[in-house]
Amino acid sequence: DHNYIEMACEFNRYCKTQVAGHIRDITLKDVHLRGAEGGYFIVFNGFDEEHGIADVTFDNCTISGKPLTADYPNLQINEHVEGIRFTA
């Protein structure tokens, strides 16, 4: 199994400050994973209420030829994420 797409608000040894930041207003358009069927994960991890992920849109995205939807079984979203949308 592999993380195909992962977005995370965090701090680590590469951060200049100990602030997790945030991710907002992202659109992934016409992204297509081609190849063997597999356990491809899409992971969203916000850090806390102030350092979260909001308003990410998948527009016309597919995995192994199948449209990516909110029902994708390997979609992982934690409690500090909101506004994940899927459009054809």
Side-chain angles (χ1 to χ4, degrees), residues 2-3 9 16 27 30 41 54 65 76:
H2 306 282
N3 285 354
C9 297
K16 292 181 180 179
T27 298
D30 297 326
F41 285 84
Q76 298 177 356

Side-chain angles (χ1 to χ4, degrees), residues 1-2 33-40 62-67 72-74:
D1 294 349
H2 306 282
L33 173 69
R34 296 184 176 107
E37 297 270 338
Y40 301 106
T62 63
I63 294 180
S64 300
K66 298 175 186 167
Y72 182 66
N74 294 333

Side-chain angles (χ1 to χ4, degrees), residues 50-75:
E50 293 181 19
H51 304 94
I53 299 172
D55 301 320
V56 176
T57 301
F58 290 88
D59 183 6
N60 190 39
C61 298
T62 63
I63 294 180
S64 300
K66 298 175 186 167
L68 186 57
T69 67
D71 296 331
Y72 182 66
N74 294 333
L75 179 64

Side-chain angles (χ1 to χ4, degrees), residues 22-52:
H22 60 267
I23 298 170
R24 294 187 187 134
D25 302 319
I26 302 289
T27 298
L28 297 161
K29 183 175 178 140
D30 297 326
V31 177
H32 307 285
L33 173 69
R34 296 184 176 107
E37 297 270 338
Y40 301 106
F41 285 84
I42 298 176
V43 180
F44 294 96
N45 287 318
F47 185 74
D48 60 22
E49 286 185 28
E50 293 181 19
H51 304 94

